[in-house]
Amino acid sequence: MIKLLLINHETRYELVELIRVFFPGQEVISIDTKNDYIGEGILIVNSLYEENGIKFATTSLYINDVLVKQSTENIELIEIYGRSIDKYIRIGIKKSLYNTLISLNEAKIPWGILTGIRPVKIVHELLDRNIDDNEIIRVLTEEYKLYIDKAKLILNIGKKQRKYIEPLNKDKYSLYISIPFCPTRCLYCSFPALPIGRYENHIKEYISKLIYEINNISKMMKGKNINTVYIGGGTPTAIPPTELEKVIHCIYNNFGQKDIKEFTVEAGRPDTITEDYLRMLNKNNIRRISINPQTMNDGTLKLIGRQHKTEDIIKTFKLAKEIGFDIINMDLIIGLPGEDILHVKKTLEEIKRLDPENLTVHTLSVKRGSKFRDTIDKYSLQPQNILSTMLNETMEYSKDMGLEPYYLYRQKQILGNFENVGYCKPKMECIYNIAMMEEKETIMAAGMGSVSKIFFPEENRIERVPNFKDLKEYVERIDELVENKKVKLEGS
């Protein structure tokens, strides 16, 4: 257990998240005074103070009541090109904590003081201010404490994304559709997914309510410009093709097929994809799909709860190409239980032979609500240095396949303090992924568990409008959800 004492500020959440990077799995408890520390274990004291008109942040680390390390940050010397003094103070507070803990920690901390999901946002903020590349790298490595390779990675990604983000337009939006049904629940999954075997009789009613919501979103967005559509889940192809086709037709009827610049359907699991399903999608002008193996090792597939084998993934991918899909994304997960570098190389060799247009590489995350979090002690997981080697292999294989990184995000409790990276062949970026991740346009979302995000470009602000994560609530209270969106949009 780690005790945390804050003096003259309340930046608790970000500091707790950063402490957990250094001490994974440790409980962090806030205390009100040093008297609440009885002299056993770790105490971190983080204070903000002013001296001769200059603000300083200091972190002191005590182990068994002995001061073992202390670091002070002069906030006046920080330069991140931000407009808010509060942001400078937060950076100073976190840097003092980082500098105190880093010398005592054997693990690598490649993302420095960053604990948020979207590090590329920082690059966009700097590019918006016309800061040059060298200075951006300095800000990322010296102020945010990123490793140089991570700094260069997100700078390159940010620059690649600019043509899809600019110019900012409050009337541009994308549409996300949630189909929350799955054949089985995977070990690592934390989404509000519903096993199809138990909820099969609810599908028609769900699709009816979903279409109702889509129809209402169309009315709300009249006069605005649709950009992309993404149907995700769950596993959208877990429901009958006739039901998914109803949704696709509803989208086209409401928003106009010719006006949609990109339409993606996350087919996901090969055990849900038939030739008839693929032909239905192709007939309806869906050109971009996902077929997600996660791994090409049969033993691991069984362990994580998948009901298919490697050969099923390969057959499904080849069939989709024969039918005529232009862009296929494949997801894989690094750090799955029991997998070593040889397993990862086998997966990458199989994917290289298939030659997908997009590849999304996830690092396993221990998510709340997943079976994995509750049973993690049962599994063998690789240490940080092996995970790093695995991720380096994915970068090298991606380069060999002609794939370049185009979006990146991170997750809480991600193994090894690493990241998730989307790769693509030139000019085959998934525009929706960029829009969703960088939060520079409105995302209107329909379906159980989905979250609309209304973008206010003048304030660089996002307003979230979540839907219910419970099926019964979603179906019975759909009018309430529609009204919530109307109210937020009227405020935009």
Side-chain angles (χ1 to χ4, degrees):
M1 179 188 299
I2 297 170
K3 292 191 175 179
L4 174 65
L5 173 60
L6 306 182
I7 300 176
N8 296 330
H9 72 87
E10 297 179 354
T11 314
R12 179 185 184 279
Y13 177 79
E14 291 180 73
L15 291 186
V16 169
E17 291 302 309
L18 186 55
I19 290 168
R20 285 174 175 157
V21 169
F22 284 90
F23 300 100
Q26 288 270 15
E27 184 180 6
V28 182
I29 294 180
S30 292
I31 59 176
D32 295 325
T33 71
K34 198 175 177 185
N35 292 333
D36 296 325
Y37 173 61
I38 61 173
E40 294 180 0
I42 296 174
L43 169 65
I44 296 172
V45 181
N46 186 280
S47 59
L48 177 68
Y49 63 97
E50 192 168 311
E51 197 172 276
N52 299 322
I54 298 173
K55 289 183 172 61
F56 294 89
T58 293
T59 299
S60 304
L61 174 68
Y62 297 85
I63 299 178
N64 296 329
D65 216 18
V66 176
L67 177 64
V68 295
K69 184 71 177 179
Q70 188 175 67
S71 178
T72 298
E73 190 71 24
N74 183 339
I75 293 170
E76 304 295 323
L77 299 180
I78 296 170
E79 179 52 272
I80 55 171
Y81 301 91
R83 296 190 176 99
S84 165
I85 184 61
D86 288 342
K87 188 170 183 179
Y88 280 87
I89 288 172
R90 288 200 310 274
I91 298 300
I93 286 168
K94 292 173 72 175
K95 283 181 73 176
S96 75
L97 174 64
Y98 176 94
N99 289 333
T100 300
L101 299 182
I102 190 66
S103 63
L104 304 175
N105 195 279
E106 294 181 1
K108 295 181 179 179
I109 313 294
W111 288 98
I113 67 171
L114 296 187
T115 55
I117 293 171
R118 298 172 168 86
V120 184
K121 271 189 165 187
I122 296 170
V123 170
H124 286 298
E125 290 170 3
L126 294 168
L127 290 172
D128 288 343
R129 291 173 171 79
N130 297 313
I131 309 301
D132 67 45
D133 290 3
N134 289 334
E135 180 62 5
I136 290 175
I137 293 295
R138 185 203 67 79
V139 170
L140 294 173
T141 55
E142 293 185 15
E143 308 292 13
Y144 292 100
K145 299 295 188 179
L146 271 65
Y147 285 14
I148 184 68
D149 60 324
K150 303 303 181 188
K152 289 179 178 178
L153 175 62
I154 61 172
L155 174 59
N156 291 336
I157 287 174
K159 292 171 73 173
K160 183 184 286 288
Q161 293 176 343
R162 298 295 276 184
K163 62 183 176 183
Y164 298 109
I165 291 174
E166 295 185 323
L168 298 183
N169 181 353
K170 68 183 180 65
D171 290 331
K172 183 173 71 170
Y173 69 98
S174 288
L175 180 66
Y176 176 80
I177 308 296
S178 169
I179 307 291
F181 303 95
C182 266
T184 58
R185 189 174 184 83
C186 294
L187 179 70
Y188 48 78
C189 180
S190 64
F191 290 108
L194 307 171
I196 198 82
R198 285 172 51 198
Y199 288 89
E200 196 166 4
N201 294 335
H202 297 269
I203 292 173
K204 286 185 180 294
E205 183 182 21
Y206 178 80
I207 295 300
S208 173
K209 298 296 182 180
L210 179 63
I211 286 173
Y212 176 80
E213 189 179 11
I214 294 169
N215 289 339
N216 277 278
I217 288 173
S218 173
K219 294 172 187 174
M220 297 176 209
M221 305 308 286
K222 191 172 182 180
K224 299 182 185 291
N225 309 312
I226 193 163
N227 189 22
T228 72
V229 176
Y230 193 101
I231 300 181
T235 306
T237 45
I239 67 174
T242 51
E243 295 300 315
L244 188 58
E245 190 170 33
K246 288 178 189 176
V247 176
I248 295 169
H249 287 173
C250 172
I251 293 167
Y252 284 153
N253 291 338
N254 276 286
F255 301 95
Q257 182 174 332
K258 69 179 187 334
D259 295 323
I260 298 169
K261 297 179 179 62
E262 173 189 279
F263 198 138
T264 304
V265 173
E266 198 172 87
R269 293 174 54 155
D271 47 338
T272 68
I273 307 171
T274 63
E275 182 173 348
D276 287 344
Y277 223 130
L278 290 172
R279 293 199 181 279
M280 181 277 287
L281 294 173
N282 186 260
K283 180 187 71 174
N284 284 285
N285 204 38
I286 306 299
R287 295 289 174 260
R288 178 188 286 271
I289 63 172
S290 291
I291 299 173
N292 300 332
Q294 315 302 7
T295 177
M296 291 290 205
N297 296 283
D298 289 345
T300 311
L301 288 169
K302 184 177 180 181
L303 176 66
I304 64 177
R306 292 288 180 122
Q307 294 180 330
H308 60 83
K309 295 186 176 181
T310 300
E311 62 183 283
D312 300 317
I313 300 165
I314 295 168
K315 286 177 183 177
T316 302
F317 184 96
K318 289 180 177 178
L319 177 60
K321 276 300 173 189
E322 288 171 12
I323 288 171
F325 290 92
D326 298 327
I327 299 177
I328 299 178
N329 173 73
M330 303 190 86
D331 283 7
L332 64 89
I333 300 177
I334 297 302
L336 288 170
E339 291 212 340
D340 58 24
I341 189 64
L342 295 178
H343 291 99
V344 171
K345 283 187 175 182
K346 178 181 181 297
T347 293
L348 290 168
E349 285 292 341
E350 295 284 4
I351 289 174
K352 186 177 180 180
R353 279 191 280 271
L354 294 174
D355 194 26
E357 289 73 28
N358 283 195
L359 176 66
T360 308
V361 179
H362 301 267
T363 306
L364 183 63
S365 178
V366 187
K367 302 175 186 175
R368 281 189 304 174
S370 68
K371 296 178 186 176
F372 181 54
R373 178 164 178 151
D374 295 333
T375 59
I376 189 170
D377 293 339
K378 295 181 180 178
Y379 302 105
S380 171
L381 300 176
Q382 296 291 354
Q384 187 187 46
N385 64 318
I386 301 299
L387 290 170
S388 178
T389 302
M390 291 175 171
L391 287 169
N392 287 337
E393 287 291 337
T394 68
M395 286 188 283
E396 291 303 317
Y397 271 83
S398 296
K399 193 182 299 182
D400 288 346
M401 289 186 276
L403 301 169
E404 301 172 347
Y406 77 97
Y407 88 111
L408 177 149
Y409 68 103
R410 305 185 66 235
Q411 291 171 287
K412 293 177 185 177
Q413 306 302 314
I414 196 166
L415 294 187
N417 190 35
F418 289 114
E419 66 281 334
N420 306 320
V421 182
Y423 297 87
C424 69
K425 292 189 175 179
K427 299 180 180 179
M428 291 187 176
E429 294 87 352
C430 178
I431 303 170
Y432 171 81
N433 282 341
I434 296 172
M436 176 269 299
M437 197 52 60
E438 303 313 322
E439 297 184 326
K440 296 295 186 182
E441 76 176 52
T442 290
I443 307 288
M444 296 302 294
M448 188 193 100
S450 66
V451 180
S452 296
K453 297 180 181 180
I454 300 168
F455 179 50
F456 298 81
E458 298 86 359
E459 307 164 48
N460 193 26
R461 179 172 64 88
I462 286 286
E463 190 78 29
R464 298 173 81 256
V465 192
N467 277 2
F468 299 118
K469 295 181 179 181
D470 177 79
L471 178 62
K472 188 172 185 289
E473 278 198 296
Y474 174 78
V475 168
E476 293 180 355
R477 299 170 65 184
I478 188 69
D479 285 313
E480 185 180 331
L481 298 177
V482 169
E483 185 61 26
N484 288 345
K485 290 182 177 66
K486 284 182 182 177
V487 170
K488 292 296 185 183
L489 281 166
E490 285 167 3
S492 68

